Amino acid sequence: SKSAGRNCFTIYDEAMSAELEARNTLEGDLRDAIARCQLEVHYQPFMDAGTGARRGFEALVRWRHPVRGLIPPDQFIALAEETGLIVPLGEFVLRRACADAASWPSDLMVAVNLSPIQFKEADLFDVICAALHDSGLSPQRLEIEITESVLLERGAENHAFMERLKGIGIELALDDFGTGYSSLSYLTAFPFDKIKIDKSFIRSLTHQPRSSAIISSIVTLARGLDMAVTAEGVETSEEFERLKALGVNFAQGYLFGRPRPIAEIELDGPSSRSQ
Ligand code: C2E
Ligand code: CA
Ligand code: CA
Ligand code: CA
């Protein structure tokens, strides 16, 4: 497909490598996709580990490309971050997620991923407030997931920003915990409600005794800091049983449901049990 980016401003140079060209095409296509609403938000449930009740859904973006089909975020989020397109993309996801969640039973939360690039935008707080206001979603039902890099760069500014979000009732989760470089002292300094343990730890749970020890110490640490713990990427009931025994508060993964388009989500009836 011809990309709008190339038609508009990019000067075509025969020396341009095929890779760079492909990247520019993808960038142009992504720009179009945002403008033409080809992005979709899918939802994956997360469960209260103690009761087995569904507690909410995480919003995960997908790109429905006219030629290439459904593209997962791992193939375009990094490009979106490099090009700044993550800003309009992220606002789209936030608005869509708030609007969708506003029609769910009011005990269900929605969790939205924010990129560190979005944190650098001066108007992010206003964007979030507008998404809440326009959708009518109560801020208490919105959870924002951020990764450790937000703590390392611009730590003081981001800390103040997080306090502002908490001040209006939004919950904060630290995503992919255990994969980054931040020390535990960083964690204690930030006002998180929840820590999401990366799925790599859950994957090795059944064959690496060390993983149990790591998860158990994260749970102990979190309790001391008055934070909850979510296990990500739970695929088997064996994993789930172990995680419950280790004291994890929430669980998310294919065992309970894959990310699905809004139309395929069951909201009626007892929403409490896993499949
Ligand atoms: P994440 O935030 O850590 O999201 C969890 C990822 O794990 C999702 O991949 C989800 O589909 C996958 N997953 C869930 N349960 C299981 C399981 O049981 N087993 C396995 N193997 N995987 C599981 P997905 O949807 O492909 O998203 C990948 C990443 O892309 C996300 O990781 C997040 O970092 C990023 N992303 C997705 N949507 C957004 C968005 O709207 N904004 C931003 N900034 N990033 C996003
Ligand atoms: Ca996440
Ligand atoms: Ca994660
Ligand atoms: Ca991630």
Side-chain angles (χ1 to χ4, degrees):
S1 64
K2 282 267 181 290
S3 84
R6 192 190 297 167
N7 293 342
C8 298
F9 305 111
T10 311
I11 297 161
Y12 183 72
D13 174 5
E14 277 182 86
M16 190 189 276
S17 75
E19 194 186 319
L20 191 57
E21 198 188 326
R23 189 183 176 286
N24 282 353
T25 302
L26 195 65
E27 179 184 341
D29 282 2
L30 184 55
R31 209 176 285 279
D32 286 353
I34 295 166
R36 292 179 192 162
C37 302
Q38 288 169 356
L39 297 179
E40 291 178 11
V41 180
H42 288 197
Y43 296 95
Q44 183 182 37
F46 58 90
M47 323 301 282
D48 183 315
T51 64
R54 192 166 59 183
R55 190 69 192 87
F57 292 90
E58 179 174 0
L60 294 158
V61 71
R62 268 94 183 99
W63 175 5
R64 198 168 289 280
H65 192 281
V67 178
R68 296 170 54 185
L70 205 64
I71 307 180
D74 285 343
Q75 290 178 34
F76 62 90
I77 290 290
L79 177 70
E81 288 180 329
E82 285 161 27
T83 54
L85 286 171
I86 193 71
V87 172
L89 183 158
E91 183 172 350
F92 165 80
V93 174
L94 179 71
R95 284 187 166 276
R96 183 78 264 150
C98 289
D100 286 340
S103 68
W104 301 344
S106 61
D107 59 331
L108 293 174
M109 310 267 305
V110 67
V112 176
N113 295 283
L114 287 193
S115 159
I117 310 291
Q118 289 175 270
F119 261 68
K120 292 181 185 153
E121 294 289 298
D123 66 348
L124 180 59
F125 189 77
D126 297 335
V127 166
I128 293 170
C129 289
L132 288 168
H133 177 268
D134 294 350
S135 64
L137 186 76
S138 152
Q140 282 79 14
R141 293 178 57 199
L142 176 63
E143 184 165 271
I144 284 178
E145 299 194 1
I146 54 181
T147 51
E148 284 165 289
S149 59
V150 170
L151 318 183
L152 297 170
E153 297 164 34
R154 302 166 24 102
E157 281 153 287
N158 289 340
H159 185 280
F161 183 74
M162 288 165 67
E163 292 288 2
R164 264 182 105 188
L165 294 177
K166 283 200 64 83
I168 62 166
I170 292 172
E171 301 227 325
L172 297 175
L174 178 59
D175 206 354
D176 301 344
F177 186 68
T179 59
Y181 301 97
S182 67
S183 67
L184 295 180
S185 63
Y186 269 96
L187 183 59
T188 63
F190 287 84
F192 288 105
D193 300 285
K194 195 190 258 186
I195 298 169
K196 298 189 79 177
I197 303 179
D198 190 69
K199 53 179 171 285
S200 55
F201 294 102
I202 283 68
R203 206 58 343 96
S204 55
L205 192 60
T206 40
H207 46 262
Q208 260 192 28
R210 277 165 176 246
S211 296
S212 287
I214 293 167
I215 291 168
S216 157
S217 52
I218 294 172
V219 169
T220 304
L221 169 81
R223 280 215 187 110
L225 296 171
D226 208 19
M227 297 176 189
V229 174
T230 299
E232 293 192 302
V234 182
E235 294 183 356
T236 68
S237 40
E238 190 189 352
E239 287 166 351
F240 186 42
E241 291 309 317
R242 286 198 181 221
L243 290 160
K244 278 196 282 191
L246 289 168
V248 157
N249 307 91
F250 299 98
Q252 182 178 351
Y254 295 165
L255 176 65
F256 312 104
R258 290 186 178 247
R260 296 265 182 243
I262 182 81
E264 292 175 26
I265 289 172
E266 283 242 19
L267 290 165
D268 298 323
S271 66
S272 54
R273 268 275 132 206
S274 58
Q275 22 172 265

